[in-house]
Amino acid sequence: MPQQLLNKHRATLDGALEAIRTRGYWSAYNEMPSPKTYGETAADDGKAAFAAHLGQAFELDQPGSTGWHGGERSPYGIALNVSYPVCDPEVLIAAGRKAMDGWQKAGVDGRTGVCLEILDRLNKQSFEIAHAVMMTTGQGWMMAFQAGAPHAQDRGLEAVAYAYREQSFVPTETVWDKPQGKNPPLVMKKHFEIVGQGVGVVVGCGTFPTWNTYPGLFAALATGNAVIVKPHSNAILPAAITVRTIRAVLAENGIDPNLVTLCVASERSATQKLVTHPAVKSVDFTGGNAFGQWLVDNARQARVYAELAGVNNIVIDSTDAYKAMLRNLAFTLSLYSGQMCTTSQAIFVPAAGIDTEDGHKSYDEVCADLAKAVAGFLSKPEVALAVLGAVQSADTLQRIKDADSGALGHVVLASCKLDNPEFPAAEVRTPVLLACDAADEAAYMEERFGPISFIVKVADTPAAIALSERIVSTHGALTAGIYSTRPEIIDAMTAATMRAKVALSINLTGGVFVNQSAAYSDYHGTGGNPAANASYADAAFVANRFVVVQRRYHI
Amino acid sequence: MPQQLLNKHRATLDGALEAIRTRGYWSAYNEMPSPKTYGETAADDGKAAFAAHLGQAFELDQPGSTGWHGGERSPYGIALNVSYPVCDPEVLIAAGRKAMDGWQKAGVDGRTGVCLEILDRLNKQSFEIAHAVMMTTGQGWMMAFQAGAPHAQDRGLEAVAYAYREQSFVPTETVWDKPQGKNPPLVMKKHFEIVGQGVGVVVGCGTFPTWNTYPGLFAALATGNAVIVKPHSNAILPAAITVRTIRAVLAENGIDPNLVTLCVASERSATQKLVTHPAVKSVDFTGGNAFGQWLVDNARQARVYAELAGVNNIVIDSTDAYKAMLRNLAFTLSLYSGQMCTTSQAIFVPAAGIDTEDGHKSYDEVCADLAKAVAGFLSKPEVALAVLGAVQSADTLQRIKDADSGALGHVVLASCKLDNPEFPAAEVRTPVLLACDAADEAAYMEERFGPISFIVKVADTPAAIALSERIVSTHGALTAGIYSTRPEIIDAMTAATMRAKVALSINLTGGVFVNQSAAYSDYHGTGGNPAANASYADAAFVANRFVVVQRRYHI
């Protein structure tokens, strides 16, 4: 059966393998919620499927169940009231280990086929999952659909493709035939078996419960491991739907469904016990530095793939498309109220201002114009509500309030609370823009997650590039940007990003934004600065998740 | 220049790439010290080159030199008296980082070409290096030549091949062209640059100063990193010769030679400071558990690739080639006086004995016959001296003495001190064989490095297999073996080794030994049990040593 699934989805796998080889544009899953792709009734069916979860106990039929837990609070203010089975982590780990044997025997092709079938089934649930993502994270609808469903599925498929490539490279058997001069050769048959390292735990985050979970989930699964998904306490539903579908596909194909389970815990100590269990060999984590560092310090029995906080930044030296640049930045700063790990937080502008096609602009003018661009972009309520979504956490609301108070810098653009007629209780906020001096490091040189950005006045462009490099090297970043009309400045920034190891976007003025990362083409994180010790996805993301056990004998 | 070197050595690289793909027999470097391969005068020239180092200061022209240090003691008892430059680790790290920029710019092809040229030059020095290995480690001549030179070079080339394969998979650039329905597509040019993670430190061991050093050294180097080689205090010369040759090849090809340096330290604290330096991003280590665990606990800024202690073991269930089995085991236990990380330490024999083609043999008979086989194999002094070599350390001599006292088990075969007429001061010892019960875990379930093995009496074969699995899982092992004529027993042992993640040799009775690991074909270590967290070599051994830094812009 699993092998037949590989045949069924062979074109998808081949497409992904070619895409990771060329890194050109490709996608397996339509990012537009089109009825042609997803079916005429898909939108309504998906919404209904989501609504059917509300107020219900979400059955998963997992072992070790001890009770029910829920408590997700929607940033849109709607009542969710879903409860999930709480299962003893020891039981889940033991069940996962037991299931690994059959999964190993399915082989590379079998595992890959099952993973492709899972992704296909998740794709068919895109609307249901998108609503679950939207309502638990506060993302706007279109982003919830794209990032929460097809883009997340693409990131999962990307990991499956890397896993397939690396595993396929290992031959299943060989004949080793060593000449011995005039004597008969030494001849041995050798077999090579791919064995998963153990149980993988994937710890999800509250803002992108599928996009940041699927890479680690599918990387660990495709390479022969059991996986326990530990979702963020406020974004359980998208993970629960995902796990239920995975378990269904596994069972249909004769694989013990306990290979993949959901671990919902009401206490942090349960998570800590889970990730430090000797049988847990990998932990994928997206989230804050405190728990990330705790993981690195304590889960030493496992390989930790961590995406943590950073200070993303942009250097503005000059531009020949001033308005387009401002529009591009305004969108970046507004999208999902800046609650992306890739949103720019610090924008460096020379004290003497910048040259543009529209003449020289002083530092103050750049500040004012960017503020105007953001305010203008968000002036239409329907645009603003669609782009901003809602604020995911009380902590972020507090950070916006603190920034608005002027304590961190001069307020160039204050945050506004917007009303969402469809969701009256939604917490909607526009971005706050602050102006400060490069010397005010305490203000801008720490991640302030949410729609809070600093326009930092630096001595000149070389100082800005040096500052960017230092920030990335010491505090980390997933994204960096440069605007310049001067090739030597772009070269200098390029060299700085190579030293600091961060992806660079150059002169973005159109429909691509510094905070966007496309599967198969853009590396999400380099794994070389403090913001992340791994990248989505590459060989390093999969190669350590399995080992090869050989046996040899004379023939 | 570097690109030309790739062309020059293209056939070697292609051979290695094909070998790691098929894992059949292949070698780039002749393991026989043949005049046809190495030149009519190579043997004499190499010996003279080695002799010319004795009593001399070994010049390396490294920065930060503060004095000289030596003190190697030859297990063969000859005077070495070589001194090496002591350099400030901070200076070496800074110089290495500085050199990385030019090395990065050489690109994958350039770096690979230079690495291939280095290996070719090291191959031409095989006799000189073999003498250095022999005289610092106590290996017999043939082993010192093979393992110290061509086999070590093959392991280095294997790492270069994996590094090339993984790096070559990353395109240098692409055009990303995303359709936008009726609107013009979004088109971006993207560049992908491979950047080494940072400075790699390779900590050598006292028994295999090249074989265990070259994999990490070449993996780190080929992927764009600077490398500091920190040799074992008693096996500096082979590393120093290697580093000098590397520096020469680098300089000839316009690369800053400080990319690779030797760090000789008289105090352990200097090594500890080196490996915990923030700029050090990888540490390759072969050695004991104490320092290995210290590294994992303390060098958390780096990826640690560690090969540590283990308890290699063999289960004997039955055989149809009793004498050949005993001969095979006798060679394994004798080779280099058991001072290999792959030597079998525990041999499990059912209490009721084993079936053979020569009738049933009781446990006591197996003990006596194995003792006889070892004694018989070593009865010719010229064979014994060539195979045993000399004992590398005073600690191992003490362990032999302790084992001989009977404190750890009944002495089935006592160790003898042999005279070596050519090297009167050589410390030569034959193996000690002990018999004990499975319950005597404290005796055999801890690595006792050296020619000390236990014939452990277990209830029956299933119990032996279960014990083997438990030992590998909890104490680690690089090798496991099984002798059986029953397919179901071989299957059970195979399944156990897959769970415990250790390579299995089945019914070895000819010219291949459980302690031998062939480059390109055998994985040395699986990376999945406590004896080693990495394998020589595979994708995981190279993939994390570099990152990809991208930049993108509209076209």
Side-chain angles (χ1 to χ4, degrees), chain B residues 90-126:
Chain B
E90 283 282 354
V91 176
L92 295 181
I93 288 169
R97 295 181 73 178
K98 187 160 165 284
M100 275 181 67
D101 190 47
W103 191 230
Q104 176 193 318
K105 293 197 170 101
V108 179
D109 287 1
R111 287 193 296 273
T112 304
V114 170
C115 286
L116 291 166
E117 174 71 10
I118 290 168
L119 285 163
D120 185 55
R121 296 275 282 273
L122 291 172
N123 181 248
K124 291 183 166 60
Q125 289 179 283
S126 287

Side-chain angles (χ1 to χ4, degrees), chain A residues 391-404:
Chain A
V391 175
Q392 187 259 340
S393 79
D395 287 350
T396 300
L397 286 172
Q398 184 61 46
R399 276 191 293 269
I400 297 169
K401 207 170 158 186
D402 294 346
D404 251 354

Side-chain angles (χ1 to χ4, degrees), chain A residues 37-48:
Chain A
T37 301
Y38 290 96
E40 293 300 328
T41 64
D44 290 344
D45 293 350
K47 194 163 189 179

Side-chain angles (χ1 to χ4, degrees), chain A residues 267-349:
Chain A
E267 285 164 23
R268 168 161 276 199
S269 62
T271 306
Q272 292 177 332
K273 224 178 114 183
L274 174 67
V275 296
T276 54
H277 192 286
V280 170
K281 297 299 185 186
S282 68
V283 179
D284 287 83
F285 171 69
T286 311
N289 286 355
F291 190 61
Q293 194 53 52
W294 186 92
L295 274 176
V296 171
D297 288 346
N298 292 277
R300 275 181 249 160
Q301 88 292 347
R303 313 232 177 220
V304 176
Y305 303 82
E307 182 189 313
L308 309 172
V311 179
N312 303 311
N313 58 79
I314 294 175
V315 173
I316 303 182
D317 166 72
S318 53
T319 179
D320 57 8
Y322 187 56
K323 283 208 168 57
M325 174 187 86
L326 294 173
R327 265 200 309 270
N328 187 283
L329 291 174
F331 183 84
T332 292
L333 300 183
S334 302
L335 185 62
Y336 187 26
S337 308
Q339 298 170 103
M340 297 175 69
C341 50
T342 49
T343 304
S344 310
Q345 173 171 309
I347 298 168
F348 301 121
V349 177

